């Protein structure tokens, strides 16, 4: 296949709803910089429909290795079920392709480290892996992070991170959902991880987690609710709530600083209008300072398109993309620590989940009350 001058070649693996609803529009937004040349899915009918929707020139394949050999993509977008991410990412990276992978990025810290080992070394120009954490992108998030990291809102003190969504029994009828071996966890891993990643993006390094988890409604292996108390390196303390049993759905982050509160309220994506800044009484009189907190006039909503722009820029520069490397691992480690703290009833500190720890290889840590039941025929 011939290369279009000046454009990178992309392939999509997994052609379900997230590929059609999010990745195709993102690729269309950046058609001047990247072209979709191939797609992979074992579901032939779904693959054919996707290729037809994507337009002429997109070749369908049933296997990742066949696609990599035939299409030679520069970038692989992984939108397959989570259980396949590690193997497919490693395969693509070893073929020289950069990877942008849907969440959950993988099922454990052990899988992440295997994926990272297939990347090019730091400073080598790649290929690199990045996780889809689109909520940290967009003009509102960039503005909030700049204010917080520069200390313009004062010292961060208290934070709340909330992902309270609703999923019914039909949602969990999909065979791979709610199972450790195929989804990697419950709402902490598959839903709240977006707001968790944004919280870490805004506040920086976490140091300690205490948590609880429960199966309150759904008959699943993993949790359907979790709560956590978190301490950050900068001294801030936070609460984190993840739920799929909440009829009134909302995604929210609130950070109370010494001079102002910054709050984001949305559901599945945010724009500038979803951010709110409230000055403390002693800061309210400084009109020029308060005015500087306003979200910028330029509007870039959080989206796959916004994140893809960053990945493409990194590819052109030969640098690690945002949302990859230590950033992605920190978020995954946070979730692993949340599960360990919830299941053991003990506080967990950053860095303590090493390869010798059972929570390194599986988010359930083989805990007798949470790991899949073992039967003579295998896992029940």
């Amino acid at each position: 296949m011939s290369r279009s001058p000046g454009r990178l070649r992309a392939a999509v693996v997994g052609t379900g709803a997230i590929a059609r609803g999010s990745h195709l529009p993102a690729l269309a937004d950046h058609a001047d910089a990247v072209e979709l040349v191939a797609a992979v899915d074992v579901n032939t009918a779904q693959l054919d429909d996707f290729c037809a929707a994507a337009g002429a020139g997109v070749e369908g394949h049933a296997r990742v290795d066949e696609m990599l050999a035939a299409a030679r993509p520069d970038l692989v977008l992984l939108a397959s079920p989570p259980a396949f991410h590690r193997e497919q990412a490693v395969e693509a990276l070893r073929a020289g392709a950069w990877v942008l992978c849907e969440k959950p990025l993988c099922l454990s810290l052990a899988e992440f480290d295997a994926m990272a080992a297939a990347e090019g070394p730091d400073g080598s120009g790649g290929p690199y892996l990045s996780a889809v954490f689109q909520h940290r992108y967009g003009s509102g998030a960039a503005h909030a992070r700049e204010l917080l990291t520069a200390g313009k809102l004062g010292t961060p003190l208290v934070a709340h991170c909330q992902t309270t969504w609703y999923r019914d029994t039909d949602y969990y009828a999909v065979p791979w959902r709610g199972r450790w071996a195929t989804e990697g966890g419950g709402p902490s891993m598959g839903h709240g991880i977006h707001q968790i990643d944004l919280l870490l993006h805004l506040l920086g390094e976490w140091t300690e987690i205490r948590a609880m988890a429960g199966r309150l409604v759904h008959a699943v292996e993993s949790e359907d609710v979790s709560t956590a108390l978190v301490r950050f390196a900068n001294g801030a303390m936070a609460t984190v709530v993840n739920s799929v049993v909440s009829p009134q759905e909302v995604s929210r982050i609130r950070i109370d600083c010494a001079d102002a509160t910054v709050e984001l309220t949305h559901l599945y994506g945010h724009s500038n209008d979803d951010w709110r800044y409230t000055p403390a009484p002693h800061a309210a009189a400084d009109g020029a300072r308060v005015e500087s907190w306003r979200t910028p006039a330029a509007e870039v909503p959080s989206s796959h398109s916004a994140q893809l722009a960053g990945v493409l820029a990194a590819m052109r520069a030969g640098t690690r993309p945002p949302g990859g490397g230590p950033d992605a691992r920190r978020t995954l480690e946070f979730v692993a620590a949340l599960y360990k703290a919830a299941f053991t009833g003990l506080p967990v500190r950053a860095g303590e989940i090493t390869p010798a720890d059972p929570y390194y290889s599986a988010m359930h840590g083989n805990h007798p009350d949470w790991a899949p039941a073992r039967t003579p025929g295998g896992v029940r």
Side-chain angles (χ1 to χ4, degrees), residues 324-361:
D327 267 2
R329 196 183 195 282
R330 178 179 62 178
T331 299
L332 192 68
E333 183 191 6
F334 183 101
V335 177
L338 188 157
Y339 281 131
K340 180 178 180 180
F343 298 165
T344 64
L346 300 172
V348 177
R349 290 170 176 79
E352 82 170 55
I353 301 180
T354 65
D357 192 300
Y359 290 87
Y360 176 79
S361 299

Side-chain angles (χ1 to χ4, degrees), residues 213-218 223-225 245:
R215 303 183 188 101
L216 304 186
V217 174
H218 298 291
E223 87 290 0
D224 56 14
V225 172
V245 301

Side-chain angles (χ1 to χ4, degrees), residues 2-3 5 35 50 57 68 73 90 103 117 119 121 125 150 154 165 182 187 195 209 231 253 260 303 328 338 380:
S2 61
R3 179 188 297 272
E35 61 176 330
F50 178 87
L68 291 170
V90 168
K103 60 81 189 168
E119 294 181 298
W165 293 357
T182 49
Q195 299 314 302
I209 299 178
R231 191 185 304 275
I253 285 180
S303 64
L338 188 157
R380 189 177 71 240

